[in-house]
Amino acid sequence: MKIMEMNETELSTNLKKGKLTIGVIGVGRVGLPTVAVFADSGAKVVGADSNRDVVEAINRGETPIDEPSLKELIKHVVQAGKLKATTDVVTAAKISDALIVCVPTPVDESKKPDYSSMKSACQAISRGLRNGSLVIVESTVSPNTVESLVVPILEDNTGMQAGKDFGVASCPERADPGNILFHLKTSPRIVGGINAKSTEIAAALYKVALGVQVVKLANPKTANAVKLTENIFRDVNIALMNELAILYEKLGIDIIEVINAAATKWNFVSHYPGVGVGGPCLPANPYYLIQEGQKVGYIPHIVRMAREVNDRMPEHVVGLVLEALNSVGKTAKDSKVAILGITYKPGVRDVQNTPVKPVITGLRRLGAKVSCYDPFFKNQEFFKIKLESTLVDAVKETDCVVLCTAHDEFQALNFNELAKSAHKPAAFIDARGVVD
Ligand code: SAJ
């Protein structure tokens, strides 16, 4: 039976009986938790990825990424024969009733969205796509990309008509790195299909497989717009707090005290200033919308300005270090600065677009010696620095300590200990508003 002809009950029955095969293209940060939860829901799942090492690891029941409780789930579904990985996307397409595309869609150096992986995934899918199947795009893309890039590739290479011979929908990922499985099983999903049937089947699939609420939207571009709006809302509000943090610092006002007091108002949404905005999502997502704006001659200025404000924060922190060193009679040159935390956010082993990198390069350019400690990367090398194995080793003989990531370990620093190891008089910069 073709998935596009099933009603919700038939879909649910076939899923639970293992009569549905789901293909997930791109088995990384989002794809791997996705194959795990769909396999756990009863589906037969094939995960396709161009990275042979990832494919072989999964087929051994291993998990190449770091997500809570994912290791056990992958091992379980692989041993139960519910999940197989392959590098062969065409075969995955041939055997799948639904194909979920989770390939990376980064922005390149010039901040232009790079859809090369999306294009090659869709070209491969089109060489195996069966009549009556469904293609769902989870990767974050500009509004209109599914309609103007994905659909034509699938139609041209299959000779089939999207909406009639196969379904197409967008269901943008809403995973929170470090909590992905939890969110996959609890957070509502947003789904927009190229026609009502595509929306209906895609929504039913997520509802029965993940057991979550599904919000149906008019079309893929609306679903993509919702995802981008969520993240851009966050990026712009963080930029506002960064902007106010710099102004209030000059006015001798504590921004954290202001935010915590403002949060007592019923419709204030708290965001916090810091050394910058990193990760795979926020630094990239605004550029998807800016690109679409350029095409229609309207640039959302506040979206672009927010990126500039957030990207200037590392430089601001370097300035704070210089001021702090001067306040204890030292200069950057010949000083040693200890950086606490290099990941882009607390509690995750991920340095993608971390704002700590430009802090390190900025300090070194000024002649400072830099040591680093991060609980997730002990003794490893990043940004040409060998990270220390302990916090104490990093702060030994240091002239300035900079807290850049609010890891749990840094929530209750022992300043007496720090003072003993430091090269007094020394300074401390809290670049994440952690320390009272
Ligand atoms: N940040 C601030 N101030 C804040 C909040 C965050 O400076 O008030 C910084 C963080 O330190 C980090 C960056 O912004 O460097 C991004 O933070 P994030 O919490 O948004 O972390 P991400 O990138 O893992 O965000 C993901 C996003 N999920 C998706 O795109 C599907 C985001 O939409 C989620 O809100 C976030 O997870 C989450 O917390 O769930």
Side-chain angles (χ1 to χ4, degrees):
M1 190 179 186
K2 297 173 181 174
I3 193 168
M4 290 308 290
E5 293 162 2
M6 290 180 198
N7 61 35
E8 188 172 308
T9 314
E10 287 159 340
L11 211 150
S12 176
T13 310
N14 286 319
L15 184 76
K16 291 195 174 48
K17 284 184 178 163
K19 287 191 173 164
L20 270 190
T21 302
I22 310 285
V24 177
I25 317 300
V27 199
R29 184 177 63 86
V30 174
L32 194 55
T34 301
V35 296
V37 291
F38 272 96
D40 199 34
S41 74
K44 278 222 289 302
V45 181
V46 54
D49 200 289
S50 53
N51 183 326
R52 183 170 299 285
D53 295 343
V54 166
V55 167
E56 286 166 2
I58 293 166
N59 286 331
R60 289 195 300 269
E62 293 163 17
T63 302
I65 62 164
D66 215 9
E67 275 295 330
S69 62
L70 185 58
K71 283 189 188 340
E72 301 79 2
L73 190 51
I74 289 286
K75 199 167 174 200
H76 168 65
V77 292
V78 169
Q79 281 172 352
K82 301 295 266 178
L83 167 62
K84 266 193 71 55
T86 175
T87 54
D88 179 355
V89 177
V90 180
T91 306
K94 280 186 179 139
I95 62 172
S96 295
D97 299 297
L99 286 149
I100 302 177
V101 184
C102 300
V103 296
T105 49
V107 288
D108 61 23
E109 284 305 303
S110 58
K111 305 299 182 192
K112 206 167 153 313
D114 170 3
Y115 293 127
S116 49
S117 301
M118 178 63 69
K119 279 186 193 135
S120 52
C122 293
Q123 276 149 4
I125 289 170
S126 69
R127 291 203 298 279
L129 187 63
R130 294 181 335 209
N131 187 296
S133 293
L134 169 64
V135 178
I136 297 170
V137 176
E138 284 207 4
S139 307
T140 307
V141 293
S142 305
N144 257 326
T145 304
V146 171
E147 292 91 340
S148 61
L149 177 77
V150 169
V151 167
I153 290 176
L154 296 176
E155 286 186 327
D156 296 352
N157 298 359
T158 53
M160 293 196 281
Q161 194 191 334
K164 178 173 162 294
D165 303 317
F166 61 94
V168 180
S170 246
C171 178
E173 58 99 357
R174 271 178 161 183
D176 167 25
N179 278 309
I180 294 182
L181 273 186
F182 168 76
H183 281 286
L184 278 179
K185 293 177 181 167
T186 55
S187 299
R189 297 301 293 261
I190 45 180
V191 171
I194 57 163
N195 62 349
K197 193 72 182 155
S198 298
T199 305
E200 184 199 322
I201 303 292
L205 178 62
Y206 281 93
K207 187 174 162 213
V208 300
L210 308 187
V212 294
Q213 181 206 343
V214 181
V215 179
K216 296 179 186 176
L217 296 158
N219 46 44
K221 62 182 172 183
T222 306
N224 296 130
V226 170
K227 162 67 188 255
L228 294 176
T229 301
E230 291 163 356
N231 279 354
I232 290 168
F233 172 85
R234 196 163 169 75
D235 198 45
V236 168
N237 279 283
I238 294 166
L240 174 62
M241 291 306 123
N242 282 330
E243 188 94 300
L244 295 181
I246 295 174
L247 172 59
Y248 291 167
E249 199 164 354
K250 296 179 187 311
L251 297 173
I253 298 168
D254 177 352
I255 178 77
I256 303 297
E257 185 178 6
V258 168
I259 294 166
N260 291 340
T264 59
K265 184 158 182 285
W266 60 93
N267 59 1
F268 182 82
V269 180
S270 299
H271 291 77
Y272 297 90
V275 62
V277 172
C281 311
L282 271 62
N285 289 185
Y287 294 107
Y288 296 106
L289 205 57
I290 290 166
Q291 186 196 49
E292 283 310 297
Q294 280 160 340
K295 287 180 190 167
V296 293
Y298 184 79
I299 304 285
H301 297 290
I302 195 168
V303 173
R304 203 193 48 211
M305 288 299 294
R307 285 279 75 239
E308 287 169 25
V309 167
N310 288 337
D311 280 351
R312 249 200 326 265
M313 292 312 284
E315 186 187 313
H316 174 68
V317 169
V318 171
L320 291 178
V321 172
L322 297 185
E323 278 172 43
L325 286 171
N326 292 344
S327 70
V328 289
K330 297 176 178 177
T331 62
K333 197 165 167 7
D334 308 328
S335 285
K336 181 185 167 193
V337 179
I339 301 284
L340 302 187
I342 64 166
T343 61
Y344 78 86
K345 78 174 184 180
V348 290
R349 179 197 304 275
D350 191 339
V351 292
Q352 287 182 85
N353 300 316
T354 181
V356 184
K357 184 177 176 186
V359 171
I360 293 170
T361 45
L363 288 170
R364 294 174 100 175
R365 203 174 298 128
L366 293 167
K369 279 193 294 308
V370 179
S371 65
C372 291
Y373 168 69
D374 189 296
F376 284 87
F377 291 106
K378 295 180 183 176
N379 291 323
Q380 294 185 41
E381 181 154 333
F382 275 96
F383 322 133
K384 302 194 189 79
I385 292 184
K386 186 167 179 317
L387 274 68
E388 305 292 341
S389 52
T390 66
L391 191 157
V392 173
D393 288 348
V395 302
K396 209 171 281 169
E397 284 309 302
T398 185
D399 301 291
C400 180
V401 177
V402 193
L403 193 162
C404 286
T405 310
H407 287 310
D408 290 348
E409 186 174 337
F410 305 149
Q411 294 293 335
L413 288 169
N414 181 331
F415 282 92
N416 293 328
E417 282 301 307
L418 287 187
K420 267 194 222 125
S421 327
H423 173 221
K424 286 189 286 298
F428 179 85
I429 305 270
D430 174 6
R432 278 294 179 196
V434 172
V435 177
D436 184 340

